[in-house]
């Protein structure tokens, strides 16, 4: 089991989000009061392509271990600065397969849809940050480390220190791809 170590949201589209004590999570929509909340896509570049496509990026999670790694490389990143809604600890988010369920606290359930694709906004925040969240595995395949995206299956409130239970989908497991 993992746990929630920080929570963030913002009503406007900007890179970083404001740290808060709790999040109201709405089924099929996302984080109440966040710019990315909605049934259809809210990410500006995706809206430009097709505003009617479903929102597979309702709630963004990053593992706190990534922030530790980036801080050790000299980057000034803290909770909320990379635009995540939920900062986790103790779960290897990037290794989860598609459709994994994350049960947070007593009510909230999120379904993992894919990986966040790092974009130029990272370098606008701090030069070199995009490269720092990209890596290669032993086969030379690209690894995106900027967190995962989810959709809300069950509403509720998420608070600091809430436990996160991982429920894997039936096999065969599908690896995460960018969404």
């Amino acid at each position: 089991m993992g746990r929630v170590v920080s929570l963030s949201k913002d009503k406007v589209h900007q890179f970083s989000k404001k740290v808060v004590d709790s999040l109201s999570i709405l089924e099929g929509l996302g984080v109440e009061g966040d710019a990315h909340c909605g049934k259809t896509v809210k990410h500006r570049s995706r809206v430009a392509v097709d505003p009617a496509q479903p929102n597979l990026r309702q709630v963004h999670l990053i593992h706190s271990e990534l922030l530790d790694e980036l801080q050790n490389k000299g980057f000034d990143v803290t909770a909320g600065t990379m635009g995540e809604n939920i900062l986790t600890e103790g779960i290897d988010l990037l290794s989860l397969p598609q459709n994994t369920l994350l049960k947070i606290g007593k009510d909230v359930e999120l379904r993992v849809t894919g990986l966040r694709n790092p974009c130029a906004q990272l370098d606008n925040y701090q030069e070199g940050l995009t490269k720092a969240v990209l890596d290669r595995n032993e086969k030379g395949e690209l690894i995106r480390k900027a967190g995962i995206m989810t959709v809300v299956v069950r509403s509720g409130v998420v608070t600091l220190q809430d436990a996160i239970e991982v429920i894997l989908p039936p096999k065969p497991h599908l690896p995460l791809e960018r969404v």
Side-chain angles (χ1 to χ4, degrees), residues 50-175:
D50 178 6
Q53 64 185 302
N55 187 2
L56 301 178
R57 302 164 57 100
Q58 294 174 358
V59 183
H60 176 203
L61 291 82
I62 289 182
H63 49 296
S64 61
E65 295 84 357
L66 174 64
L67 297 188
D68 296 340
E69 175 187 326
L70 294 170
Q71 289 166 354
N72 288 336
K73 292 179 178 179
F75 291 97
D76 181 20
V77 289
T78 57
T81 59
M82 291 182 56
E84 78 282 355
N85 299 115
I86 300 175
L87 188 64
T88 68
E89 180 180 80
I91 299 173
D92 183 1
L93 296 176
L94 304 179
S95 72
L96 298 175
Q98 289 179 38
N99 298 312
T100 295
L101 280 181
L102 300 174
K103 293 181 97 173
I104 305 176
K106 65 178 192 166
D107 294 320
V108 173
E109 289 184 18
L110 306 177
R111 181 177 55 81
V112 177
T113 56
L115 295 167
R116 175 188 185 189
N117 193 37
C119 64
Q121 286 186 12
L122 291 167
D123 281 339
N124 293 340
Y125 178 73
Q126 280 182 62
E127 188 174 334
L129 192 53
T130 302
K131 185 177 179 185
V133 297
L134 295 171
D135 207 346
R136 299 270 176 191
N137 65 17
E138 60 280 347
K139 297 177 186 175
E141 299 167 330
L142 185 64
I143 300 172
R144 294 171 175 89
K145 301 189 289 186
I148 63 170
M149 307 310 286
T150 66
V151 294
V152 182
V153 175
R154 188 168 169 215
S155 299
V157 174
V158 175
T159 59
L160 297 173
Q161 304 303 318
D162 274 352
I164 304 171
E165 179 185 357
V166 175
I167 302 169
L168 297 174
K171 290 186 178 183
H173 291 160
L174 300 172

